[in-house]
Amino acid sequence: MHFDELIGHLGQHTVDGLSKGAIYALIALGYTLVYGVLRLINFAHSEVFMVGTFAVLILWNQIGVENNPPVGQAILFLVLGLVVAAAASGGTALALERVAYRPLRRKNAPPLIFLITAIGLSLVFVELFGQVLPKLLGGALPDVFGRPRQIVGMPTIIQQETLFTIGNTAITNIQLIVFVAAVAMMALLDWFINRTRYGRGVRAVAQNPETAALMGVNQERVIMLIFVLGGIMAGAAALLWSMRFGFTQNSIGFVLGLKAFTAAVLGGIGNLRGALLGGLFLGIVEVYGATLFASNWEDVIAFVVLIVVLMFRPTGLLGESLGRARA
């Protein structure tokens, strides 16, 4: 156990954890939105994130992005990447809802069927990007699908540099961009849910769908909206992941999705602000644990912390449901 390393560089590890946890939190918002309205754990959401990373990769590959472009071009590439990733992930999430979940809802399928369907959809997407698309598009996009199931690198849009140092804690431009962008996206979503007419519809359906329908709220539109919003957040997370870590893979969503779901449960699934808190908390705990023990214990520590927290706080750290969010 490396206590000296952890304590001696506590600030640096905290900054690293916040940057990592911000991405978890963005993905966790998709789980929280869907569960808050439908009481459905959408395990296929991890592959919605994966689709976003491939959308960014394909875009940058097709427009010929190279490492370390000029600042103006880098900003343009990031904005285009955000738009494409959000559109791809949001569209994928909406398609999943329309094609898979909506027919089940109409037939009043039991919750277990929804869960099995979500897991099955996740596996379908993993194999689609691991086998089917490489066979179909491997020749046309060799830099993307030329090596099936292998990790694919991405161009370095922004070279990581230290912006400033506080004590022995160095804060880089990538860390700052990831954290600020993720928090801004989550704040925007929180404002949308709590302060707009569409957000009131989401909260009404989450609290009491029958009464909301009597009041004229279109439940199907609300459900479509939450899937699209969750997909957009996953697309934003995909861009930040691509910028910070610079790679993707057909199975990249599996572990990340589990950790994002863990973050949602830690904060209180169904609670938007809980997803933020849970994601940041999980990122910090992971980095602390990897420093204290070893990096290969990182995943174990995340789930041990989840179990410990739920033993004392079964509803998560905040525990407020989406339907009871403040007006």
Side-chain angles (χ1 to χ4, degrees), residues 45-284:
H45 186 64
S46 55
E47 274 52 64
V48 172
F49 164 79
M50 181 268 292
V51 170
T53 63
F54 271 95
V56 172
L57 175 60
I58 292 171
L59 171 70
W60 288 350
N61 176 263
Q62 290 299 102
I63 63 178
V65 176
E66 297 181 354
N67 291 331
N68 305 319
V71 175
Q73 291 184 16
I75 295 174
L76 176 61
F77 294 151
L78 290 176
V79 172
L80 289 175
L82 176 62
V83 172
V84 170
S89 293
T92 300
L94 180 61
L96 290 177
E97 194 282 322
R98 295 287 90 179
V99 173
Y101 298 136
R102 187 183 186 186
L104 294 178
R105 287 201 315 276
R106 287 183 168 179
K107 294 178 181 179
N108 294 317
L112 182 60
I113 300 301
F114 282 92
L115 181 62
I116 294 172
T117 301
I119 295 173
L121 288 170
S122 177
L123 295 175
V124 166
F125 271 88
V126 169
E127 294 306 313
L128 177 66
F129 279 78
Q131 290 194 62
V132 179
L133 290 182
K135 290 181 179 178
L136 296 176
L137 302 176
L141 297 171
D143 294 333
V144 179
F145 296 113
R147 295 182 300 162
R149 299 183 181 279
Q150 300 299 309
I151 291 176
V152 184
M154 297 185 180
T156 301
I157 300 295
I158 298 178
Q159 186 66 39
Q160 182 163 282
E161 298 175 352
T162 300
L163 288 180
F164 53 90
T165 303
I166 303 174
N168 63 347
T169 302
I171 299 176
T172 68
N173 52 350
I174 299 294
Q175 290 172 330
L176 188 62
I177 291 172
V178 168
F179 182 77
V180 171
V183 171
M185 291 287 291
M186 286 180 278
L188 183 62
L189 179 63
D190 185 77
W191 171 85
F192 180 86
I193 294 296
N194 286 299
R195 297 298 183 187
T196 67
R197 181 167 64 89
Y198 295 106
R200 285 195 296 271
V202 170
R203 288 184 285 119
V205 173
Q207 188 170 12
N208 193 317
E210 290 80 13
T211 302
L214 292 174
M215 297 297 291
V217 177
N218 188 318
Q219 186 174 353
E220 287 300 322
R221 288 184 181 177
V222 167
I223 292 171
M224 291 172 63
L225 177 62
I226 60 168
F227 271 89
V228 170
L229 289 175
I232 290 173
M233 294 298 117
L239 174 69
L240 297 179
W241 172 273
S242 303
M243 185 174 63
R244 189 180 190 279
F245 296 99
F247 70 90
T248 188
Q249 190 180 13
N250 69 305
S251 59
I252 194 174
F254 179 73
V255 174
L256 275 173
L258 286 178
K259 290 182 179 180
F261 175 67
T262 300
V265 175
L266 275 174
I269 191 164
N271 186 321
L272 296 180
R273 296 173 187 179
L276 170 61
L277 178 61
L280 297 179
F281 178 72
L282 183 63
I284 292 173

